[in-house]
Amino acid sequence: MEKVCIYPGSFDPLTIGHMDVIHRASRLFDRVVVAVLHNPAKVGCFPTARRLEMIRKACASMPNVEADAFSGLLADYVDRLGAAAVIRGIRGESDFSSEAMMAQVNRRLNPRVETIFLLAKPEHACISSSMVREVASFGGDVSPFLPEEVLPYVTAAFSKKE
Ligand code: PNS
């Protein structure tokens, strides 16, 4: 049977830290669904459709990786896809405490949810979408933190805001 994992997140925008997790998950599972949380009440920097576009472009060379949007509970989405696991990246101790809490909640909501943590590479420990947005908003160089397919989207979004 095909083993599917879900890698959920905001991906606002996708970073090289996310890419590393996706790449590693693609070697562990038959299929990886990168799932963008669609929350119309919380408009981020990029609309959901744009986030999906960035993920699809950046992951085009990985045939077992796809992008999807979900709304509502992750625990329900896991059942809809019949996924074997949820993947989350952990950059350090502070991530671990909040991620462990989220994994426990998801398992309470749906005992079939198994969360697997992938430890980020040390060189990715400081990279987050919020840091990228902040640096970009002040005109800083965000190219070291982004897949090359994503950089034009971020450059365009923040050059409009100046
Ligand atoms: O990239 P993020 O913002 O850390 O991702 C968080 C995400 C989207 C994985 C999480 O907020 C989520 O799963 N939201 C869906 C709603 C849900 O299931 N909440 C209960 C678990 S705390």
Side-chain angles (χ1 to χ4, degrees):
M1 208 177 90
E2 189 187 50
K3 285 268 182 229
V4 181
C5 75
I6 296 173
Y7 179 36
S10 304
F11 305 108
D12 190 30
L14 181 79
T15 67
I16 58 165
H18 295 132
M19 283 301 285
D20 181 55
V21 171
I22 295 168
H23 192 246
R24 288 157 62 193
S26 77
R27 288 186 303 209
L28 296 170
F29 287 86
D30 299 315
R31 204 174 129 218
V32 179
V33 179
V34 183
V36 178
L37 176 66
H38 177 62
N39 183 356
K42 195 178 147 210
V43 184
C45 179
F46 294 96
T48 303
R50 201 65 74 226
R51 297 183 207 181
L52 289 170
E53 203 175 294
M54 289 187 255
I55 295 165
R56 286 183 183 128
K57 281 192 182 171
C59 298
S61 65
M62 291 180 267
N64 63 338
V65 175
E66 61 197 78
D68 189 21
F70 77 104
S71 49
L73 289 175
L74 177 62
D76 294 335
Y77 182 64
V78 166
D79 271 353
R80 287 204 293 282
L81 288 198
V86 167
I87 301 283
R88 292 287 287 171
I90 297 274
R91 288 165 300 185
E93 282 171 34
S94 65
D95 273 353
F96 180 76
S97 54
S98 55
E99 292 297 331
M101 205 73 83
M102 196 162 87
Q104 300 285 21
V105 171
N106 284 328
R107 193 164 43 190
R108 281 282 183 96
L109 293 170
N110 178 354
R112 287 174 297 282
V113 177
E114 199 62 70
T115 303
I116 296 179
F117 298 126
L118 294 184
L119 188 63
K121 289 183 179 166
E123 62 267 36
H124 295 158
C126 69
I127 302 176
S128 67
S129 299
S130 57
M131 176 276 280
V132 165
R133 293 195 303 271
E134 170 141 352
V135 172
S137 74
F138 291 114
D141 177 18
V142 287
S143 62
F145 313 121
L146 296 173
E148 61 180 37
E149 296 84 357
V150 171
L151 184 60
Y153 289 85
V154 175
T155 307
F158 285 91
S159 60
K160 269 187 230 144
K161 284 182 186 168
E162 273 168 19

